Amino acid sequence: MSLSVEYPDQGSPSFPPGFQWGVATASFQVEGATQERGASIWDSFCRLPGRILDGSSGQVACDHYHRFPEDVAMMVELGLSAYRFSIAWPRVLPLGYGRVNTVGLDFYDRLIDALCAAGIQPVPTLYHWDLPQALSDAGGWLSRDTAERFGDYARLVVDRFGDRVPRWITLNEPFVHMAFGYAFGVHAPGQALMLDALPVAHHQLLAHARASEVLRAAGHEVLLTNNCTPVSPVDDAPDTVAAAAAYDTLHNRLFLDPLLLGEYPDLSAYADPETGRTPLDRVIRDGDLAALRGSVDALGVNYYNPTLAAAPAPGDALPFALPDYTELFPETPLTGFGWPVVPDGLHALLTSLRDRYGPALPPVHITENGCSYPGEPDANGVVADPDRVAYLDGHLRALAEAIADGVDVRGYYAWSLLDNFEWAQGYTQRFGLVHVDFATQARTPKESFFWYRDAIARARG
Ligand code: FCB
């Protein structure tokens, strides 16, 4: 289904002065060069039969490790003010602790230097799901030790790069990592623990707190990025409303309440009916919540789509059901991934965060937003992707509206610069503004690339 692009008839959305325009990538999804670093849980997961849709791996990916100068040149052409990338923990610390891989540190040095020389702010994420395999073998995020190791890792990289990097993101999407990696087993490390995955939330948050302390002591700005979704009940029956609240708690509040309010939300929907306790209660220690409270200077929000919730069927393991968006709204266009395209969801999300957290909500950066659609270069090298243009246009308009409604949003990062390794989907979902031919590594900017370049220029006036 093709959306029509109505720009410029509606006029340009307006953004505050100094608003940051970026793109985002992640180490495992783009770097390749896996032999030059320690093993991560994603290397192992890719080797398991049937886990990655096209049987692929991150071995070469976009070869960003070697081709970053070409990629930075494209960022310059876009007119970006910031580039969000992630540091692969096992590239700098092959085991996650101890011996340092100087070749890995040198790579990020070169990348950061190239960005600074181009006037683009480097915004690293310390953890975008590629846990060192050795730490996973020792318990991974089920173990509290991983959080302590993360603090040491943060110290190493801030000592090395802090002279050029003022803003840091500790974690990417701890909700998705917990849910897909540890509860349902569809991402690395492939554990299907269901509610016993809840300690993964706490240990990731604690890791963030440890890193935040290190980063702030060195005078840096600290963000944590979660995947956030506005959740709506499919009807107003009390069971449905309760199911929507339970899902919202798990996806959004479990991660944001401790950071912004210093407390976990009411998790009684997930408690053992006999003991009234959840697996999270086993791992929280005195002082943990105090360390979390206020530990972000700004909040990273990744938004892709809204969520509809319904009451669970009798006997379901979880206190909610998630019906397909299109069952209720069959007119809603879908991305190549099958995700509903609902730009207003971004506005609803941001205003609901404002209403929920009030003055406790720090400035927000949209650290990911984008869509996958298939699309290959034609005979003239043109990659026409009107659906992506419409997606970006709609979401930037919704964002501008949220800003006009008083939400303090400071930046927007399109996901992603390049078509890349889309986790369990391998190379089958193309999210890039730039097409990548994975056989030759040829990069071809799509029409959306030029559209984004022009949208940034217009927004800057
Ligand atoms: C997000 C991930 C990112 C990418 C997009 C499509 O959940 O953070 O790495 O895969 O989805």
Side-chain angles (χ1 to χ4, degrees):
M1 182 177 326
S2 213
L3 295 168
S4 65
V5 184
E6 289 178 48
Y7 190 87
D9 300 334
Q10 301 174 28
S12 303
S14 94
F15 292 89
F19 190 84
Q20 278 199 309
W21 295 97
V23 293
T25 67
S27 47
F28 193 84
Q29 295 179 275
V30 299
E31 284 180 1
T34 51
Q35 323 79 305
E36 299 188 43
R37 58 160 170 75
S40 83
I41 54 174
W42 273 94
D43 299 310
S44 316
F45 192 70
C46 289
R47 281 195 293 271
L48 299 176
R51 296 310 187 94
I52 309 298
L53 188 61
D54 56 4
S56 64
S57 76
Q59 219 173 344
V60 180
C62 307
D63 196 26
H64 187 60
Y65 185 83
H66 297 107
R67 293 170 196 262
F68 74 85
E70 190 185 337
D71 298 337
V72 172
M74 292 191 291
M75 297 178 211
V76 172
E77 197 180 339
L78 282 170
L80 299 187
S81 28
Y83 174 41
R84 175 179 178 232
F85 60 99
S86 77
I87 297 178
W89 188 350
R91 194 177 288 292
V92 301
L93 288 163
L95 300 177
Y97 61 93
R99 186 178 68 77
V100 172
N101 180 28
T102 53
V103 172
L105 286 172
D106 291 347
F107 162 64
Y108 295 111
D109 253 333
R110 291 194 298 278
L111 173 62
I112 289 168
D113 283 346
L115 292 165
C116 292
I120 297 171
Q121 185 183 105
V123 182
T125 301
L126 293 178
Y127 185 70
H128 200 124
W129 305 348
D130 41 1
L131 188 68
Q133 182 61 46
L135 287 185
S136 191
D137 295 342
W141 290 111
L142 293 165
S143 160
R144 190 176 173 101
D145 280 352
T146 301
E148 306 302 337
R149 304 285 193 199
F150 191 75
D152 298 340
Y153 157 54
R155 182 165 293 109
L156 171 76
V157 292
V158 79
D159 282 354
R160 177 76 174 231
F161 309 126
D163 57 338
R164 288 152 289 162
V165 174
R167 171 178 293 144
W168 300 75
I169 300 171
T170 55
L171 304 179
N172 180 68
E173 297 191 353
F175 167 72
V176 175
H177 197 40
M178 173 190 79
F180 287 16
Y182 288 83
F184 305 129
V186 296
H187 277 186
Q191 301 210 44
L193 303 171
M194 296 303 282
L195 289 180
D196 282 324
L198 280 170
V200 168
H202 189 62
H203 294 144
Q204 286 186 92
L205 286 170
L206 203 60
H208 155 80
R210 295 290 182 263
S212 173
E213 216 173 289
V214 168
L215 291 161
R216 282 180 162 178
H220 296 289
E221 184 183 348
V222 180
L223 281 75
L224 177 145
T225 280
N226 200 27
N227 180 296
C228 297
T229 184
V231 184
S232 314
V234 293
D235 57 47
D236 53 15
D239 284 1
T240 319
V241 173
Y247 188 73
D248 181 33
T249 295
L250 192 67
H251 193 126
N252 301 307
R253 299 188 57 174
L254 178 61
F255 298 90
L256 300 190
D257 284 16
L259 295 177
L260 305 182
L261 308 176
E263 62 193 25
Y264 277 109
D266 173 7
L267 287 165
S268 50
Y270 298 95
D272 179 318
E274 287 186 2
T275 63
R277 289 164 65 82
T278 75
L280 195 68
D281 296 319
R282 290 203 296 265
V283 297
I284 303 170
R285 295 193 191 162
D286 283 353
D288 287 357
L289 284 160
L292 282 169
R293 182 185 198 131
S295 58
V296 288
D297 301 305
L299 183 67
V301 167
N302 291 354
Y303 171 76
Y304 287 93
N305 51 252
T307 302
L308 293 175
D316 277 2
L318 292 168
F320 55 80
L322 301 177
D324 255 11
Y325 206 88
T326 41
E327 273 175 32
L328 256 94
F329 301 104
E331 297 305 310
T332 307
L334 300 177
T335 69
F337 220 132
W339 296 350
V341 179
V342 187
D344 284 350
L346 178 56
H347 177 265
L349 171 67
L350 292 170
T351 50
S352 71
L353 290 175
R354 177 201 62 193
D355 296 345
R356 175 172 290 167
Y357 295 109
L361 182 70
V364 170
H365 294 250
I366 305 303
T367 41
E368 286 180 29
N369 174 241
C371 51
S372 65
Y373 289 105
E376 297 297 319
D378 69 12
N380 301 315
V382 173
V383 187
D385 58 344
D387 293 330
R388 180 170 291 99
V389 170
Y391 184 101
L392 295 173
D393 183 58
H395 285 77
L396 287 178
R397 289 179 190 286
L399 178 57
E401 219 179 290
I403 295 171
D405 289 343
V407 188
D408 182 1
V409 184
R410 306 272 175 98
Y412 174 90
Y413 297 75
W415 182 273
S416 180
L417 177 67
L418 304 166
D419 291 341
N420 61 41
F421 177 81
E422 179 46 38
W423 309 114
Q425 309 296 314
Y427 296 97
T428 65
Q429 295 295 333
R430 293 181 173 273
F431 275 89
L433 299 170
V434 176
H435 177 273
V436 177
D437 178 332
F438 293 105
T440 63
Q441 290 298 336
R443 274 102 162 112
T444 309
K446 303 178 187 177
E447 286 188 345
S448 58
F449 175 97
F450 301 107
W451 181 89
Y452 190 43
R453 176 195 65 187
D454 295 346
I456 293 170
R458 276 193 303 269
R460 289 207 182 106

